[in-house]
Amino acid sequence: MPDAARPPRHVLILGGTTEARRLAAALAPEPAGAPGSATVPEPAPRVTTSLAGRVAAPRLPAGEVRIGGFGGPEGLARWLRAHAVDALIDATHPFADTISHNAALAAATAHVPLLVLRRPGWVPGPGDDWHQVTSLDEAAAALPALGNRVFLTTGRMGLAHFAHLTDLWFLVRSVDAPEPPHPPRMTTLLGRGPFTLEGERALLREHRIDVLVTKDSGAAATAPKLTAAREAGVPVVVVRRPPLPEGVPVATDPDEAAQWLRRVFSEASAR
């Protein structure tokens, strides 16, 4: 089929992150992307971003948007085929391991090229008192020896792992209000990043926080809490990221993802 007659390439982005929104803004025909954004493959592809629907009022990306699950890897593979998807980019949260593994299975089944877009993780620096663990259960087990007033920033979905810690007090920050089960001694702070360093310093001070719990999201918008904890001498329990699916290429920013798309589309046109 001549290029002039071929419909635009279709890219499905599994989104919900800042990087996913940046990539969609750069790829979608309108808007064309902000200055300094990722380089757009030519011609502009059709872009669909899929959101899980766990946040009540998500930040919507450019291009087409679908909300909700696919029904496992088989459902996602069917969707890829039915909507003639030419490339799949997993730009979900670093801890969304279920959808990442489903994406790998679905892409292999539907024979669709797959890329994982993941921002780099955080790295401890001089003065940091980090206690790295592999799960929320390990994080909960570490807390009694580290402090009594916990700033918990791991999201509302995992609070059940801390519900048995009845002697500790928790300040929980999340985008939406959490539901039980959760720790009995808990105050909820609704908020969405980016957060400022001065704001995080004040929060630790006002609530007399003596231990912080976070997942290694690697997000710049939420990194100031780590600086504030280091300055205050507050230990930090850091939950490591789950492993990525084996054999899937990884980009660390939207520019790399756009370059990968260009290569994939160029190779497809040459065949």
Side-chain angles (χ1 to χ4, degrees), residues 192-208:
R192 190 200 305 258
F195 302 106
T196 67
L197 177 55
E198 188 53 44
E200 301 293 65
R201 287 168 174 159
L203 188 149
L204 296 186
R205 227 175 17 246
E206 292 167 8
H207 295 278
R208 307 191 313 281

Side-chain angles (χ1 to χ4, degrees), residues 73-115:
E74 298 85 1
L76 177 53
R78 285 194 297 271
W79 201 96
L80 295 174
R81 293 194 190 99
H83 294 83
V85 171
D86 297 288
L88 175 62
I89 297 181
D90 171 14
T92 55
H93 191 276
F95 284 81
D97 53 327
T98 298
I99 184 60
S100 292
H101 285 276
N102 287 351
L105 292 171
T109 300
H111 304 289
V112 172
L114 168 66
L115 176 76

Side-chain angles (χ1 to χ4, degrees), residues 95-136:
F95 284 81
D97 53 327
T98 298
I99 184 60
S100 292
H101 285 276
N102 287 351
L105 292 171
T109 300
H111 304 289
V112 172
L114 168 66
L115 176 76
V116 172
L117 173 55
R118 286 287 188 279
R119 65 180 82 108
W122 289 319
V123 178
D128 281 321
D129 181 12
W130 282 19
H131 302 259
Q132 299 194 46
V133 297
T134 59
S135 68
L136 291 178

Side-chain angles (χ1 to χ4, degrees), residues 5 41 57 59 121 132 207 225 233 236 241 246 251 270:
R59 293 172 177 168
Q132 299 194 46
H207 295 278
K225 64 190 174 187
V236 183
R241 297 178 176 188
E246 294 184 4

Side-chain angles (χ1 to χ4, degrees), residues 14 31 36 43 50 66 89 110 123 141 173 191 205 224 249 254 256 265 267:
L14 304 178
S50 177
R66 72 172 298 280
I89 297 181
V123 178
R173 183 163 66 192
R205 227 175 17 246
E256 286 186 40
F265 293 166
E267 291 169 2

Side-chain angles (χ1 to χ4, degrees), residues 14-247:
L14 304 178
T17 60
T18 300
E19 290 75 22
R21 290 190 296 273
R22 283 181 52 204
L23 181 61
L27 296 178
E30 294 180 4
S37 61
T39 305
V40 182
E42 296 292 346
R46 174 189 172 194
V47 179
T48 302
T49 298
S50 177
L51 303 177
R54 292 180 176 176
V55 176
R59 293 172 177 168
L60 297 180
E64 301 174 35
V65 179
R66 72 172 298 280
I67 296 178
F70 291 95
E74 298 85 1
L76 177 53
R78 285 194 297 271
W79 201 96
L80 295 174
R81 293 194 190 99
H83 294 83
V85 171
D86 297 288
L88 175 62
I89 297 181
D90 171 14
T92 55
H93 191 276
F95 284 81
D97 53 327
T98 298
I99 184 60
S100 292
H101 285 276
N102 287 351
L105 292 171
T109 300
H111 304 289
V112 172
L114 168 66
L115 176 76
V116 172
L117 173 55
R118 286 287 188 279
R119 65 180 82 108
W122 289 319
V123 178
D128 281 321
D129 181 12
W130 282 19
H131 302 259
Q132 299 194 46
V133 297
T134 59
S135 68
L136 291 178
D137 285 330
E138 283 189 26
L143 284 179
L146 295 173
N148 296 302
R149 297 182 65 82
V150 185
F151 184 23
L152 187 58
T153 64
T154 55
R156 64 188 176 92
M157 305 301 290
L159 293 185
H161 296 271
F162 303 88
H164 64 287
L165 297 174
T166 57
D167 292 334
L168 306 185
W169 178 87
F170 289 83
L171 176 66
V172 173
R173 183 163 66 192
S174 64
V175 175
D176 295 319
E179 298 178 354
H182 53 62
R185 302 177 61 206
M186 183 184 82
T187 296
T188 302
L189 181 64
L190 298 183
R192 190 200 305 258
F195 302 106
T196 67
L197 177 55
E198 188 53 44
E200 301 293 65
R201 287 168 174 159
L203 188 149
L204 296 186
R205 227 175 17 246
E206 292 167 8
H207 295 278
R208 307 191 313 281
I209 298 299
D210 56 14
V211 59
L212 166 68
V213 183
T214 186
K215 292 178 177 178
D216 179 17
S217 69
T222 57
K225 64 190 174 187
L226 300 174
T227 303
R230 179 172 62 247
E231 293 176 348
V234 170
V236 183
V237 179
V238 180
V239 183
R240 296 191 187 99
R241 297 178 176 188
L244 291 171
E246 294 184 4

